[in-house]
């Protein structure tokens, strides 16, 4: 399987719960390495730009408000099959449907406050990484 990079965001709810370390531990123990990291408090506009694909969705405004409600940790992760592996470790968008032992099953409270973001394709991963990081700030580990 190919080495890939993917974008991960530890969302405001999980940062507030002080579980950054637990989430990164899950990534590292499953073969993903942090290759870029940035703690940020996004403006609603910055969150809106990131989630522009969801602009027409009814939850877009709430999503932007939530994502700008507190600091987040934005990371690029690298590893074999990183995009799908990260999604698997995250669990389903709605924590009620998330498989046992996933990040969202363990740390998410609702479909809005669901602890983590992860890119859904390699193509979107490249776009999302470039939204937050300059190429010189991404330090490949492979
Ligand atoms: P994902 O984060 O699992 O990729 P997406 O469908 O891309 O899920 O949605 C982006 C984010 O928007 C979700 O993580 C969640 O926080 C929020 N969201 C998605 N669907 C709903 C909904 O039906 N109600 C409220 N928020 C939602
Ligand atoms: Mg998504």
């Amino acid at each position: 399987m190919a080495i890939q990079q993917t974008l991960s965001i530890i969302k405001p709810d999980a940062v507030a719960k002080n579980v950054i370390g637990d989430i990164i531990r899950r990534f590292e123990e499953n073969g993903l390495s942090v290759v870029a990291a940035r703690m940020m408090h996004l403006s609603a506009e910055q969150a809106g730009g990131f989630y522009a694909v969801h602009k027409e969705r009814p939850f877009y405004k709430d999503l932007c408000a939530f994502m700008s409600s507190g600091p987040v940790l934005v990371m690029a992760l690298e590893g074999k099959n990183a995009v799908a592996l990260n999604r698997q470790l995250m669990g389903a968008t709605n924590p009620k449907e998330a498989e046992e032992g996933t990040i969202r099953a363990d740390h998410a409270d609702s479909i809005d406050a669901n602890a983590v973001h992860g890119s859904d394709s390699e193509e979107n991963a490249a776009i999302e990484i470039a939204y937050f990081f300059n190429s010189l700030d991404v330090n490949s580990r492979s």
Side-chain angles (χ1 to χ4, degrees):
M1 250 174 287
I3 300 287
Q4 297 177 333
Q5 292 181 349
T6 191
L7 189 88
S8 168
I9 303 178
I10 302 183
K11 294 188 179 185
D13 57 321
V15 171
K17 285 181 184 169
N18 224 19
V19 293
I20 288 173
D22 178 73
I23 292 171
I24 293 178
R25 176 188 61 75
R26 293 167 190 243
F27 294 148
E28 292 185 335
E29 285 183 357
N30 288 279
L32 294 173
S33 301
V34 177
V35 294
R38 187 174 176 195
M39 188 120 190
M40 307 176 72
H41 191 149
L42 300 172
S43 66
E45 290 70 29
Q46 288 168 333
F50 177 71
Y51 278 119
V53 291
H54 293 311
K55 216 176 195 138
E56 306 306 327
R57 308 283 286 277
F59 56 81
Y60 178 71
K61 207 162 163 246
D62 286 347
L63 175 60
C64 296
F66 171 66
M67 287 301 287
S68 57
S69 67
V72 295
L73 185 67
V74 186
M75 293 176 286
L77 305 176
E78 184 180 82
K80 277 185 200 157
N81 204 21
V83 173
L85 176 56
N86 180 39
R87 296 290 307 193
Q88 192 186 319
L89 297 173
M90 288 164 61
T93 307
N94 184 346
K96 287 186 188 134
E97 292 161 15
E99 219 174 293
E100 212 179 309
T102 59
I103 294 167
R104 282 168 164 167
D106 291 344
H107 293 309
D109 295 324
S110 67
I111 195 165
D112 306 86
N114 63 0
V116 279
H117 165 84
S119 308
D120 61 7
S121 67
E122 207 172 1
E123 187 191 357
N124 284 336
I127 294 167
E128 292 178 0
I129 290 169
Y131 188 78
F132 290 110
F133 297 105
N134 293 315
S135 58
L136 289 176
D137 296 323
V138 181
N139 301 276
S140 177
R141 311 267 296 273
S142 64

